Amino acid sequence: QSALTQPASVSGSPGQSITISCTGTSSDVGYYKYVSWYQQYPRTAPKLMIYEVSNRPSGVSNRFSGSKSGNTASLTISGLQAEDEADYYCSSYTSSNTVIFGGGTKLTVL
Amino acid sequence: QVQLVESGGAVVQPGRSLRLSCAASGFTFRTYAMYWVRQAPGKGLEWVAVISYDGSENYYADSVKGRFTISRDNSRNTLYLQMNSLRPEDTAVYSCARDTVTSPYYDYAMDVWGQGTTVTVSS
């Protein structure tokens, strides 16, 4: 199964908002609520930022929000900060009882 | 504190086998589904396998199905990944991770991760 589709890179200035898209199919993102987002700094373990499309784990800033429309999920980061510069990955449960990740998006804070 | 520590990574020749371990501590291991996820050098995350809290269910990515086996020993708080018929494309950092919810449910989201163990498949 092919990876979910994410833009390779996005950028924004401090204080701005950015959105990262994650496009799948009706067999994964479009059908299930099990869409998650992860933040990863170089050479460190991923950190869960959003689960079940729009839920934030305890301790994650409310500047991070998630949504879904059809086969596309989105991660929005508002009030962009330098510390948000990282790689971001989406994931989804699939109808094949598997999990699939997106290819990852590199966020640059200008 | 809640912690996952992987071990067992090595440099191996194509076609050989390797078993990875993931030691869990700081939480009730036997009540969570567990995952293996890998990341090839300079590449993105790739889901490898999942096992239910009691080991009765497991599922695999197509890329490893038939070659890799996920298992767990709840008495030892340890997760395993048996990797057979290794290929150069299996070269990656392998990490174990915990599901966000307790048994018998899955949330297919991973809230605790280990730092990973490196597997290099090369002749």
Side-chain angles (χ1 to χ4, degrees):
Chain A
Q1 189 167 13
S2 299
L4 303 175
T5 301
Q6 297 181 232
S9 63
V10 298
S11 62
S13 299
Q16 287 186 330
S17 293
I18 64 94
T19 296
I20 300 172
S21 62
C22 170
T23 301
T25 70
S26 57
S27 297
D28 40 65
V29 173
Y31 192 82
Y32 298 101
K33 68 176 183 177
Y34 300 116
V35 176
S36 305
W37 290 90
Y38 301 86
Q39 175 191 64
Q40 187 181 33
Y41 296 113
R43 294 172 297 282
T44 68
K47 176 185 178 182
L48 179 66
M49 305 302 285
I50 297 287
Y51 66 98
E52 291 184 9
V53 176
S54 59
N55 293 323
R56 273 188 313 275
S58 174
V60 172
S61 169
N62 59 10
R63 297 186 299 105
F64 291 82
S65 62
S67 63
K68 187 179 79 166
S69 177
N71 296 338
T72 298
S74 299
L75 173 70
T76 298
I77 309 174
S78 59
L80 208 57
Q81 299 178 1
E83 67 201 48
D84 300 331
E85 185 164 296
D87 294 327
Y88 292 85
Y89 295 90
C90 61
S91 73
S92 175
Y93 176 67
T94 83
S95 59
S96 302
N97 292 313
T98 63
V99 174
I100 187 169
F101 281 97
T105 298
K106 181 178 179 58
L107 170 61
T108 300
V109 180
L110 302 171
Chain B
Q1 72 278 24
V2 175
Q3 194 172 15
L4 296 171
V5 179
E6 302 91 339
S7 61
V11 178
V12 296
Q13 293 180 326
R16 302 301 289 265
S17 299
L18 199 62
R19 188 177 83 157
L20 306 182
S21 299
C22 167
S25 59
F27 66 98
T28 308
F29 177 73
R30 60 181 169 77
T31 64
Y32 288 87
M34 297 292 296
Y35 302 84
W36 284 101
V37 176
R38 68 184 181 183
Q39 189 166 27
K43 303 297 184 181
L45 302 174
E46 181 185 11
W47 176 81
V48 173
V50 61
I51 188 168
S52 61
Y53 69 100
D54 61 356
S56 62
E57 294 182 335
N58 49 67
Y59 300 98
Y60 300 90
D62 287 346
S63 58
V64 307
K65 196 176 299 182
R67 300 187 299 123
F68 290 12
T69 302
I70 188 172
S71 63
R72 63 191 298 160
D73 185 339
N74 285 344
S75 68
R76 297 177 181 269
N77 291 339
T78 303
L79 176 72
Y80 301 101
L81 185 68
Q82 177 67 43
M83 304 185 295
N84 298 333
S85 303
L86 282 161
R87 305 168 180 169
E89 55 264 37
D90 295 319
T91 295
V93 173
Y94 285 74
S95 299
C96 59
R98 186 187 81 170
D99 197 287
T100 55
V101 298
T102 55
S103 59
Y105 305 105
Y106 298 81
D107 202 50
Y108 305 102
M110 304 156 212
D111 65 345
V112 179
W113 293 68
Q115 287 301 313
T117 187
T118 301
V119 174
T120 303
V121 184
S122 174
S123 54

